Amino acid sequence: MTDSTTTPSPVVLEAWFDLQCPDCFKALDDVRALRAAYGDRLDVQLRHFPLSKNKHAYAAAQAAEEAADQGQGWAYAEALLARTAELAERGEPVLLEVATGLGLGAEEFDTALIDGRHLLTVDADQAEGQALKITGTPTYVIGGERLDGGQSQEGLRARIEEIADRLLAG
């Protein structure tokens, strides 16, 4: 039995990103537009799929998890994606600079990267992504459908909106 005053659960959109991927940075425009259009009816969840070709992506995923623990997961991911070229060139110091720029606890942040407390989360995401046959980023999963933005992001937002609207209509 459903209470008529109960707010329906939001639709979940999993955004599988590599935080050193320039295409994921471009995809942020779609993520922002979807958030603006759907508000709390769409739960956009960052999932990690660091690609082996991106040397610092695995550490970046761990860093994003620490930022999430400190309450700024998406803010951190967005700030880091804006610096993908710099991350590729300079490596892990960029991870700490972004954290400091957002006012995150830098010492705790550094400790988290050293002690590997977020390894299991990143590994679990990567394993799940492989099970879903994700091969590139960005990739989205909504309503059981996988949408690959690694080749082209053309039309992806419209497709996500179509699925979200269908799911929200029940």
Side-chain angles (χ1 to χ4, degrees):
M1 185 166 142
T2 305
D3 180 10
S4 61
T5 61
T6 303
T7 305
S9 296
V11 170
V12 174
L13 171 64
E14 294 179 347
W16 294 83
F17 280 15
D18 170 318
L19 297 178
Q20 192 180 332
C21 169
D23 288 337
C24 290
F25 174 66
K26 292 176 192 163
L28 286 177
D29 287 340
D30 286 338
V31 169
R32 289 181 189 114
L34 290 163
R35 280 192 188 129
Y38 289 93
D40 61 4
R41 296 178 304 144
L42 184 69
D43 179 12
V44 182
Q45 297 179 354
L46 176 62
R47 301 297 301 272
H48 301 289
F49 200 75
L51 301 170
S52 59
K53 69 180 181 178
N54 292 328
K55 182 176 168 184
H56 304 291
Y58 191 80
Q62 293 176 69
E65 284 300 309
E66 179 58 30
D69 280 0
Q70 294 188 33
Q72 294 200 51
W74 268 108
Y76 183 85
E78 290 185 26
L80 188 58
L81 283 166
R83 296 173 68 175
T84 55
E86 192 177 352
L87 178 60
E89 184 181 311
R90 294 185 43 235
E92 294 187 22
V94 175
L95 302 176
L96 296 173
E97 289 168 14
V98 170
T100 302
L102 291 171
L104 298 173
E107 188 174 309
E108 187 65 21
F109 205 88
D110 193 36
T111 301
L113 289 175
I114 293 167
D115 72 17
R117 69 183 71 164
H118 301 293
L119 288 171
L120 291 177
T121 301
V122 175
D123 287 348
D125 272 7
Q126 199 161 34
E128 186 177 341
Q130 289 168 343
L132 292 169
K133 301 195 182 339
I134 292 172
T135 57
T137 58
T139 295
Y140 303 94
V141 176
I142 182 171
E145 291 189 50
R146 187 183 81 225
L147 305 169
D148 181 8
Q151 299 300 319
S152 169
Q153 294 175 59
E154 184 83 25
L156 269 184
R157 185 188 323 167
R159 183 72 182 118
I160 290 168
E161 289 172 343
E162 178 185 309
I163 295 167
D165 290 344
R166 183 182 75 230
L167 293 171
L168 288 167

